[in-house]
Amino acid sequence: MTTTGGTALDFTPAPGAAPFPRMVLAQAGAEVRAMLRNGEQLLLTLIIPVLLLVGFSLAPLIDIGAGRRVDFLVPGVLALAVMSTAFTGQAIATGFERRYGVLRRLGATPLSRAGLMLAKTAAVVAVEVIQAAVIVGVGLALGWRPHGSFLSAALLVVLGTAAFSGLGLLMAGTLRAEATLAAANLVYLVLLGAGGVVFPLSKYPAGAQPVLEALPISALTGGLRTVLAHGGAPPLGSLAVLAAWAVVTLALVSRTFRWE
């Protein structure tokens, strides 16, 4: 207690953690900055999807049948962007954070482990918003005109984010960091080629198509294409596939994720 000019001033400290929402937002901001400063991750999450969109839209490299290439490609590239951020980028980053003990230290802070996962989810969503704005802007510049509801597309993106996040965290929480790096990139390439992103699933053998349609990237790509290219409602099949992947993978994460 001190006085200044006859007025009592109380400098008694009031220790305590910041409010939970503020801690989550602060950590989410740190996660977003880390993503955007990482050149390799920025290449994966933003530059590659944009290059694929521009290259395959302008050059007649694929046969999509009737319709314009850009109308076919924009929904697929949006789905690819979601996968690159929610799955590949998150799996690799979380895997190395676990290896170096970052998760263990952050989980011991007042933020709590649940708050940390919530912050990571918020960071993924924030980066996806940036990706969507850039990809939609490039698509519009290339002549793309959406025909459906962005709210319906957002529903598919939310389910897709949950499905891919569950898959990425499942990988990061069970494998060594180096194995996660290799496996996440391999899965990314396989799903890019087999998920209907730039090549129609109808080009694959008939016997393989039901298997490919059960992949989360195929469900998200097909659902976004139905909504944005054809103006339809979100197909129930796509919603069911994404929801199933989200429920199963997140349930496994809750049981198997290792923080150390």
Side-chain angles (χ1 to χ4, degrees), residues 74-213:
V74 170
V77 171
L78 284 171
L80 178 66
V82 171
M83 181 179 73
S84 65
T85 299
F87 168 62
T88 314
Q90 185 168 215
I92 295 171
T94 305
F96 279 96
E97 287 174 351
R98 185 168 71 90
R99 174 186 175 181
Y100 293 123
V102 175
L103 290 183
R104 181 184 59 187
R105 294 184 178 91
L106 287 174
T109 66
L111 177 59
S112 79
R113 294 180 174 183
L116 176 60
M117 288 302 179
L118 184 58
K120 284 184 171 294
T121 301
V124 166
V125 172
V127 173
E128 288 176 351
V129 170
I130 297 173
Q131 290 174 300
V134 172
I135 292 169
V136 167
V138 172
L140 292 174
L142 292 171
W144 174 63
R145 295 295 179 266
H147 299 290
S149 166
F150 277 100
L151 289 178
S152 297
L155 173 61
L156 287 161
V157 168
V158 168
L159 282 176
T161 299
F164 284 121
S165 291
L167 189 59
L169 292 174
L170 179 63
M171 187 177 291
T174 54
L175 301 178
R176 293 173 58 245
E178 293 81 3
T180 297
L181 174 63
N185 282 309
L186 176 60
V187 171
Y188 175 87
L189 292 175
V190 170
L191 295 184
L192 169 60
V197 175
V198 294
F199 302 103
L201 293 182
S202 59
K203 300 296 182 181
Y204 293 91
Q209 290 178 24
V211 177
L212 298 179
E213 290 171 355

